[in-house]
């Protein structure tokens, strides 16, 4: 029984919760240091545009509420063929000031260049229907639409079978050390409650934390295509840990998901995901998750969050355990998140609350309520990326866990912190400024679990470093 509990704990340590985020502070409407005006037309020379983009980086925090800043930045990025980055900047400009035909034109071009033909057509028609649209803008929009063979005057005439898939992925190999490979409890003893009184048992060596070296292997493939209903995203992930000290300390996890994002931010984003987890080459867990959420600009909540997106929705996951069917359950939850960007920085704050409904009355502890909080900060540097994240989960059983363990209702607080650094080793960039090539990656992680039942208390630290190839 205790070994099964340890296996269950190790799975839970490796199951990720929702990730999303928030800006570190609210911004003023016109912070000191932001120039009084920006050029309306980008320089014709490519080198001059590059220097202008570098100059704008200095104002990324002080100009968060300036539509003309993002409009100028988006125009520069668009001319430099950095279409995905231009889309982000122009979208922020329109969120701050939507009545800008020139910016809408640039946004239409960026949408078309990134494959969102339907959204580009819809926005172009909105601009053309405006009586105040300048003739030059109207002519440019008509040329942009008619000049793209994939965009027609009637979006329904587009052949739904002519989808262009865009694929990217990565493979990764890391070596390192983990001081708790078996996710063992940090307790040295177990107190049992028996009819004749309480007794204390010492845990043997096999139940104590095992420290040693390990290798982490991972891979990911992501594909996306524009269809009539929206943007379709397919993703597959694989992760495996190999431990020379014993195969029973290794694990393998495979995940696959399908996501559909409606155009123009309308409707519900929908996601279906399947997962499989095994430990020591023994199948432990399979899951099927369904989620749906809506996204909108957080400026509707507070003007200081104009650079943020708010997400709210629902999720349900059916979990099935191969070795112990009494652990099966259905987890239903509400999800919310705030995702912000300020220059090269990204901030996320996520919240998920729900209940795990036990499929069997024999499950120890019965139903379980859960609250997850996750905070993340990431920064893009000329040489690479850095990320720091913290996650806390509070779990409480509805019933006493076990009469042998004192008849206590178990409450557990799980916390983890992770810092990672990614350094680009090659100097070339892929088209449209997307990253690719070889990277050096290092990650340090700390785990701390506290519980009303000492058996479920846990401590662990790990440090890994290695290489990743992105394609």
């Amino acid at each position: 029984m205790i070994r099964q509990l340890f296996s269950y704990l190790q799975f839970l340590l490796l199951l990720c919760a929702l990730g999303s985020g928030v800006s570190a502070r609210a911004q003023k409407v016109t912070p000191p240091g932001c120039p009084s005006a920006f050029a309306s037309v980008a320089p014709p020379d490519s080198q001059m545009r590059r220097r202008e983009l570098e100059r704008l980086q200095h104002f990324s925090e002080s100009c968060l509420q300036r539509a003309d800043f993002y409009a100028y930045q988006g125009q520069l990025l668009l001319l430099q063929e950095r279409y995905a980055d231009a889309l982000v900047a122009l979208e922020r400009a329109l969120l701050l000031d939507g009545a800008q035909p020139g910016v809408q034109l640039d946004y239409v071009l960026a949408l078309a260049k990134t494959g969102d033909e339907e959204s580009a057509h819809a926005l172009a028609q909105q601009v053309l229907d405006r009586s105040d649209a300048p003739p030059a803008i109207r002519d440019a929009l008509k040329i942009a639409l008619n000049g793209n063979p994939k965009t027609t005057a009637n979006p329904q005439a587009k052949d739904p079978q002519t989808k262009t898939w865009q694929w990217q992925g990565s493979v990764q190999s890391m070596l390192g050390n983990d001081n708790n490979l078996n996710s063992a409890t940090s307790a040295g003893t177990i107190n049992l409650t028996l009819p004749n009184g309480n007794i204390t048992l010492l845990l043997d060596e096999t139940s104590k934390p095992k420290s040693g070296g390990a290798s982490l292997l991972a891979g990911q493939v992501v594909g996306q295509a524009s269809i009539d209903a929206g943007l379709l995203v397919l993703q597959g992930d694989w992760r495996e840990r190999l431990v020379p000290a014993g195969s029973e300390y290794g694990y393998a996890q495979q995940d696959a998901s399908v996501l559909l994002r409606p155009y123009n931010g309308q409707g519900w984003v929908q996601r279906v995901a399947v997962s499989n987890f095994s430990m020591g080459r023994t199948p432990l867990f399979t899951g099927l998750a369904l989620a749906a959420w809506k996204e909108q600009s957080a400026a509707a909540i507070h003007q200081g969050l104009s650079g943020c997106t708010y997400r709210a929705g629902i999720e349900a996951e059916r979990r099935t355990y191969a070795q112990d069917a009494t652990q099966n359950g259905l987890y239903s939850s509400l999800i919310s998140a705030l995702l912000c960007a300020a220059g090269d920085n990204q901030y996320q704050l996520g919240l998920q609350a729900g209940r795990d409904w036990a499929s069997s009355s024999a499950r120890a502890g019965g139903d379980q309520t859960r609250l997850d909080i996750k905070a993340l900060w990431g920064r893009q540097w000329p040489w690479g990326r850095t990320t720091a994240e913290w996650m806390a989960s509070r779990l409480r059983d509805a019933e006493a866990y076990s009469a042998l363990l004192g008849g206590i209702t178990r409450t557990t607080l799980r916390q983890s912190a992770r810092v990672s650094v990614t350094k680009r080793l090659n100097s070339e960039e892929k088209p449209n400024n997307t990253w690719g090539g070889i990277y050096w990656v290092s990650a340090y992680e700390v785990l701390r679990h506290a519980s009303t039942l000492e058996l479920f208390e846990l401590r662990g630290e790990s440090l890994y470093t290695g290489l990743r190839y992105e394609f």
Side-chain angles (χ1 to χ4, degrees):
M1 176 63 180
I2 291 178
R3 288 187 179 276
Q4 291 177 338
L5 291 174
F6 290 157
S7 297
Y8 182 54
L9 272 174
Q10 187 167 8
F11 161 71
L12 289 173
L13 290 176
L14 298 164
L15 186 65
C16 295
L18 167 73
S20 353
V22 69
S23 176
R25 58 185 181 278
Q27 307 293 333
K28 298 180 181 179
V29 173
T30 309
C34 187
S36 59
F38 293 94
S40 58
V41 180
D45 181 69
S46 176
Q47 292 300 322
M48 293 179 63
R49 291 195 296 265
R50 184 182 296 273
R51 287 194 294 268
E52 276 291 87
L53 284 170
E54 293 174 354
R55 183 179 72 90
L56 293 185
Q57 289 297 319
H58 300 295
F59 308 122
S60 59
E61 293 188 6
S62 60
C63 295
L64 283 176
Q65 294 288 341
R66 291 281 297 276
D68 57 342
F69 167 76
Y70 288 117
Y72 184 47
Q73 185 184 54
Q75 185 182 159
L76 291 167
L77 292 166
L78 187 62
L79 291 172
Q80 293 296 96
E81 298 185 357
R82 294 169 56 177
Y83 303 123
D85 294 333
L87 199 62
V88 174
L90 294 168
E91 186 174 57
R92 293 179 187 172
L94 292 174
L95 286 173
L96 293 170
D97 183 4
Q100 302 181 83
V103 180
Q104 290 175 325
L105 169 60
D106 289 342
Y107 191 55
V108 166
L109 296 174
L111 285 170
K113 290 294 187 180
T114 53
D116 196 344
E117 307 285 352
E118 288 83 355
S119 296
H121 178 90
L123 181 58
Q125 287 299 131
Q126 292 178 18
V127 179
L128 290 173
D129 290 341
R130 289 177 49 171
S131 59
D132 62 340
I137 297 295
R138 302 174 69 88
D139 293 341
L141 281 171
K142 292 176 181 178
I143 293 174
L145 291 176
N146 296 331
N148 191 334
K150 292 185 180 181
T151 306
T152 67
N154 178 10
Q156 300 301 323
K158 180 180 176 182
D159 184 359
Q161 301 302 320
T162 58
K163 308 179 185 68
T164 301
W165 282 92
Q166 297 178 340
W167 295 92
Q168 62 182 26
S170 65
V171 290
Q172 180 175 288
S173 177
M174 303 174 71
L175 298 175
N177 185 272
D178 192 320
N179 68 359
N180 196 348
L181 289 167
N182 53 340
S183 296
T185 176
S186 57
T189 62
I190 298 179
N191 296 314
L192 299 180
T193 301
L194 301 176
N196 297 328
N198 297 338
I199 63 172
T200 300
L201 299 178
L202 292 174
L203 294 178
D204 59 23
E205 290 299 319
T206 61
S207 300
K208 295 181 179 180
K210 300 296 181 184
S211 179
S215 62
L216 289 179
L217 306 176
Q220 182 184 79
V221 176
V222 181
Q224 64 179 37
S226 295
I227 62 175
D228 292 340
L231 182 66
L232 183 66
V233 181
L234 306 181
Q235 180 170 329
D237 296 270
W238 159 75
R239 180 182 174 92
E240 185 171 1
R241 183 175 72 182
L242 303 177
V243 181
S247 60
E248 67 271 20
Y249 302 135
Y251 67 80
Q253 183 174 352
Q254 304 86 33
D255 301 281
S257 64
V258 180
L259 181 145
L260 180 62
R261 182 182 298 275
Y263 297 124
N264 295 327
Q266 302 298 319
W268 291 80
V269 180
Q270 303 163 59
R271 182 175 182 267
V272 179
V274 293
S275 60
N276 181 69
F277 185 87
S278 60
M279 185 177 300
R281 303 187 185 282
T282 300
L284 180 66
F285 167 91
T286 58
L288 172 63
L290 306 175
W293 64 86
K294 278 198 169 186
E295 297 179 350
Q296 66 176 22
S297 170
I301 302 174
H302 190 281
Q303 65 176 5
L305 300 175
S306 61
C308 304
T309 299
Y310 177 70
R311 174 187 299 170
I314 56 176
E315 181 176 1
E317 182 181 8
R318 169 66 178 173
R319 292 173 279 190
T320 305
Y321 294 83
Q323 304 302 314
D324 184 3
T326 64
Q327 296 295 327
N328 297 349
L330 176 65
Y331 179 51
S332 58
S333 62
L334 300 176
I335 56 178
S336 63
L338 198 61
L339 304 91
C340 303
D344 292 327
N345 294 283
Q346 292 185 338
Y347 306 93
Q348 299 182 4
L349 181 64
L351 179 67
Q352 184 171 12
R355 188 178 186 90
D356 185 1
W357 305 90
S359 298
S360 171
S361 59
R363 186 168 81 172
D367 297 341
Q368 185 179 78
T369 57
R370 178 167 179 164
L371 174 65
D372 296 314
I373 302 175
K374 183 175 181 180
L376 179 145
W377 166 78
R379 181 175 175 86
Q380 189 98 345
W381 307 87
W383 50 266
R385 298 184 285 253
T386 54
T387 303
E389 56 185 308
W390 167 80
M391 187 174 73
S393 301
R394 183 183 183 274
L395 304 96
R396 179 175 176 80
D397 293 338
E399 305 170 2
Y401 186 80
S402 172
L404 284 175
L405 297 177
I408 297 175
T409 299
R410 179 183 56 172
T411 300
T412 304
L413 176 63
R414 299 173 179 164
Q415 297 188 78
S416 65
R418 188 175 189 271
V419 178
S420 63
V421 178
T422 301
K423 177 176 174 55
R424 181 165 53 182
L425 299 181
N426 61 309
S427 59
E428 296 183 359
E429 293 181 347
K430 293 172 66 178
N432 302 342
N433 198 44
T434 55
W435 279 45
I438 302 176
Y439 303 84
W440 167 71
V441 183
S442 292
Y444 173 68
E445 186 171 8
V446 179
L447 300 174
R448 294 289 186 270
H449 292 185
S451 179
T452 53
L453 290 178
E454 191 177 9
L455 176 64
F456 294 93
E457 295 189 349
L458 180 148
R459 291 176 176 268
E461 295 182 33
S462 62
L463 176 64
Y464 288 91
T465 188
L467 296 176
R468 176 163 70 229
Y469 175 69
E470 297 183 2
F471 54 90

